[in-house]
Amino acid sequence: MKLTKVAFAIASVLAVVAGSANAGQINSSSATLAIEVIKTNAQNVRAPSNTYGFAGDVDARTNEQRLQLQYTLSKGTWTVGAGQRFAAVDTLTDVSGTGLLNVAYNDALDAPLAAFPAGTAVNAFVTADRKTLVFNVTVPVAATNLLKKPLFTVNANGNVGVDNVGINGLLDVAGAAACVAPDSALDINFKHFTNHTGNTTVQTVASPDSEHLRSGSTNDARLLNFTQNLDFQFVAAPSTSRTDAATLNKALTVGSANWTGATLIGTATAIVPPAAALAGGRHYLGAVKLRQRGNGLDLDYTHTYGDSVAPFVAASPFIAADFDAAVGDDTGTLDDGKIELKDATFKLTLPAAWPAGTTVTATDGAGAALAGVNAITIPAGGATELVFTATTDAGAAALANGAYIFAEFTGTAFIPQTGGVVTVATLTKDTVAGTPDLREQDNSCSGTLTGIGGGIKIDVRNYAAYATFGDTGPATTVRIINNSEAQAADVYGQIIYADGTYGAWGKLADLKPREVLNMSNKDVEAKLTNAAAATNPFGTATVGYEAKGGTAVVGGSKAGISDRLRIVSNTGTTLRVQSYMVVGSSVIDTSNAQGVDFENSGDRVPVNALDAQPVSQDAINGLGK
C-alpha cells in the first residue's frame, strides 16, 4: 500500500533523526571571551576544549586500529615555538598520556572508561600553515580493546604548552575594542580517517566509515566567541544653561538650573547638584558612566572580564576590587576578571575657553565629589581641555559608576557660549607585558555633553540661497551689526535647510564694537565650508537631528520654500541682523522676519539690561558642528 503524503513526511523526518543519531557529532557548545583580553596576535591564548563523538565503535579486539584525527581552525593558528607543546611545525611529537587528547567510552562490558587502552600510542603534529592539529592514534590488539562510541576531547585541560596547544593570531579574529566593537567568532572543523602512516603525512582520502563522512554528521562547530564587555554611556544635560546679557555674560541667568529633569543613569532618581560655592551660577554638562554590556570571560575562562566577583551579576555596580590600579604596577599579569588599569580619564574639550577661577567637579549624582578623582579649577588664561583622572582602584570605580559633571563660574569674567562639549572617556590598561602576556586592550569612546547657551543665535528666516537661485534668481544680502559699545563679536553662519536638516557652517567675520558687515548670499555661502555634525550635538533639547550637503551649501532642499541662515556669536553680547531680498528690480526689506520666538525663554529683555537682545535673538540652538 502506498504511503500517504503525511505518512511519507513523518517517515522522512524519522529517517533524518535516525541518520543523525548514527553519525559523528562535534560538540554544540563554545566559550566566549571578552574582546578586551586579546591584546596582540602574539599572545598564546589557552584553547577551549572540543569534543567529537563517534557514532561507530573502534574495535581492536582482533587487529590493531589506526586513526588520524584532524582539527582545523577557520582563523588564527595553533601555537608552535620554543617552550610550547610543539616546538616546530611538521614535527611528530609523542603526546601519549599528556592529556592533550583524551577519550571516554564504554568497553565490551559497557563499563565507562576515561583513558586510552594500555599501550595506545598518541602522536601529534601541527601542519606547516599552523591551521591543523593532527593526531595519529594507534590502539593495540587486546581482547578487551573495544571502544564503544568513543568521545575524543582535544585540549581537555588548561595548561598551555602541556595539555593545551594554545592559539595565536586572535587579535585579527577578535578585532580592536571600539565604542562598541562587533562580535566575532572562531570556528573549528573535524575530520576522521581510518589510517595513518606513522609520520606527518596528512590524510586526504577517507574511507566510507570515516566519521565525518557519515550521513548526518556534524563536523564544524564554534570554538570561540568574542564580545566587547565594556562601553561608556554619555547622557547630556536635558537643557542648556544661559548666560545673562545683563551681566555682560559674566554670569548665568538666575534660575538657570539646567539639571532639572536629569536622573541617575538608568534610574528615575533625580540628581542632586553640589552645594553652590561661586556667584556666577552653576552649569550641568551631563554624565558619563562605564557600562558592563557583555559577559565575555577573562583568560581564566572563569571570571567575567570587568567583574572580580564570580558568579557574574550584571546589575552589580563596579567596586574597587574590579580594578587593579596599583601604583607602580604597569605589568599585565592577571586573568581573574580584574581590569588591569594604568588610569581612567574623562577628557572634556570646550569649544571656547572658560575663564580663570571656574571650578569643574565630577560628582556622584547625590551632590558629593567623587573620591579619588581630581576636581578642576581653570587656571589664569583660561582652558579648553579639562581632564578628570583616577589612578586608584577606588577612584576608578567611582568614575565607572557615573560622573555627573558640574561647572561653577565666578561671575567676574566673560563666559563664552558654546556648542556641545566633546568628551572622551578612556580606560588605559597596563602597558608592560608579563609572562605570559595578559595585557588588555584599552577602552575608549567619545560623546557630547551640553554646552552653555544664551549667546547670540539669530535666524534669517527668509533667505534666498545662492546654491538654489544662482546669479539670476532672487538674492539675499545680510547686514550684520555689532551694536555693543564694549564687546567684540565673532560671527558664524550655518544653513538650516527648509526640510529641517543642518547644512554647512563657517566663520563669517570678527566685528569690533559698533562695526557693520554687509554680505551677499554668494559671499556668505563661500564662507560656509565646514560640514555639519553627523550626529546630534545639542543633546536632548533637539529631536530628529539630521545633516546633509557636506562642506558646501546645496540648493533645492524643498521645492518652493526658502532655507534659513543662522547667525551665531559666541563672544558677542548683542547683534542686529538686517536682511534684504532682491527680486528682479525690487528690493524687499525682510528684516522683520527675525521676530521674537518666545519658545526659548521669556527673559530676552533682562532687568537693567546693558546689551539686551529684545527682538532678534530667536534661534533655539547654536551651530550644529
Side-chain angles (χ1 to χ4, degrees), residues 484-508:
S484 173
E485 289 293 326
Q487 184 70 39
D490 57 353
V491 181
Y492 292 83
Q494 183 168 32
I495 285 292
I496 311 297
Y497 293 111
D499 62 4
T501 56
Y502 279 75
W505 65 276
K507 188 171 187 178
L508 302 182

Side-chain angles (χ1 to χ4, degrees), residues 200-247:
T200 57
T201 299
V202 178
Q203 299 295 310
T204 58
V205 179
S207 62
D209 57 346
S210 292
E211 289 289 334
H212 70 280
L213 293 182
R214 289 181 185 269
S215 176
S217 65
T218 303
N219 309 302
D220 294 285
R222 183 62 41 83
L223 185 65
L224 270 174
N225 305 281
F226 297 93
T227 190
Q228 184 168 321
N229 271 26
L230 305 174
D231 71 354
F232 291 97
Q233 296 173 288
F234 298 84
V235 179
S239 62
T240 62
S241 300
R242 296 187 305 279
T243 56
D244 188 351
T247 65

Side-chain angles (χ1 to χ4, degrees), residues 150-182:
L151 300 171
F152 291 96
T153 301
V154 65
N155 294 315
N157 298 298
N159 303 307
V160 176
V162 180
D163 51 21
N164 192 290
V165 179
I167 302 176
N168 298 137
L170 288 183
L171 180 60
D172 288 342
V173 182
C179 277
V180 176

Side-chain angles (χ1 to χ4, degrees), residues 559-582:
I561 301 178
S562 65
D563 303 319
R564 290 182 288 157
L565 173 66
R566 179 160 297 170
I567 303 295
V568 171
S569 177
N570 292 322
T571 62
T573 57
T574 179
L575 286 179
R576 294 293 188 272
V577 177
Q578 295 171 288
S579 60
Y580 304 91
M581 188 172 294
V582 179

Side-chain angles (χ1 to χ4, degrees), residues 585-598:
S585 59
S586 300
V587 179
I588 305 170
D589 185 346
T590 55
S591 300
N592 285 337
Q594 283 81 259
V596 174
D597 182 342
F598 286 105

Side-chain angles (χ1 to χ4, degrees), residues 382-625:
T384 58
E385 187 172 284
L386 315 177
V387 182
F388 293 105
T389 302
T391 57
T392 66
D393 299 345
L399 272 183
N401 286 320
Y404 300 81
I405 303 172
F406 287 85
E408 287 195 55
F409 299 93
T410 63
T412 61
F414 171 77
I415 304 170
Q417 294 80 42
T418 66
V421 177
V422 175
T423 303
V424 179
T426 303
L427 299 180
T428 302
K429 313 296 175 61
D430 288 338
T431 56
V432 180
T435 303
D437 186 355
L438 298 176
R439 290 175 298 164
E440 302 159 1
Q441 293 192 56
D442 296 345
N443 289 97
S444 187
C445 193
S446 65
T448 302
L449 302 185
T450 301
I452 296 176
I456 311 304
K457 300 186 287 284
I458 302 170
D459 279 352
V460 178
R461 295 178 176 179
N462 280 334
Y463 177 80
Y466 183 80
T468 298
F469 299 105
D471 293 314
T472 59
T476 289
T477 294
V478 292
R479 177 176 169 86
I480 305 169
I481 306 167
N482 180 10
N483 53 310
S484 173
E485 289 293 326
Q487 184 70 39
D490 57 353
V491 181
Y492 292 83
Q494 183 168 32
I495 285 292
I496 311 297
Y497 293 111
D499 62 4
T501 56
Y502 279 75
W505 65 276
K507 188 171 187 178
L508 302 182
D510 288 299
L511 298 182
K512 297 178 294 185
R514 301 171 300 281
E515 188 176 3
V516 179
L517 174 69
N518 284 2
M519 297 186 75
S520 69
N521 56 356
K522 184 176 182 180
D523 293 336
V524 168
E525 291 167 41
K527 299 275 190 178
L528 308 185
T529 57
N530 301 290
T535 57
N536 179 15
F538 300 119
T540 56
T542 290
V543 176
Y545 176 91
E546 293 183 49
K548 72 175 180 183
T551 59
V553 178
V554 296
S557 69
K558 197 168 184 180
I561 301 178
S562 65
D563 303 319
R564 290 182 288 157
L565 173 66
R566 179 160 297 170
I567 303 295
V568 171
S569 177
N570 292 322
T571 62
T573 57
T574 179
L575 286 179
R576 294 293 188 272
V577 177
Q578 295 171 288
S579 60
Y580 304 91
M581 188 172 294
V582 179
V583 182
S585 59
S586 300
V587 179
I588 305 170
D589 185 346
T590 55
S591 300
N592 285 337
Q594 283 81 259
V596 174
D597 182 342
F598 286 105
E599 181 180 347
N600 193 18
S601 73
D603 59 1
R604 294 176 185 261
V605 188
V607 178
N608 300 321
L610 299 178
D611 272 336
Q613 187 69 55
V615 294
S616 294
Q617 188 176 328
D618 70 334
I620 305 301
N621 288 326
L623 299 180
K625 66 175 183 176

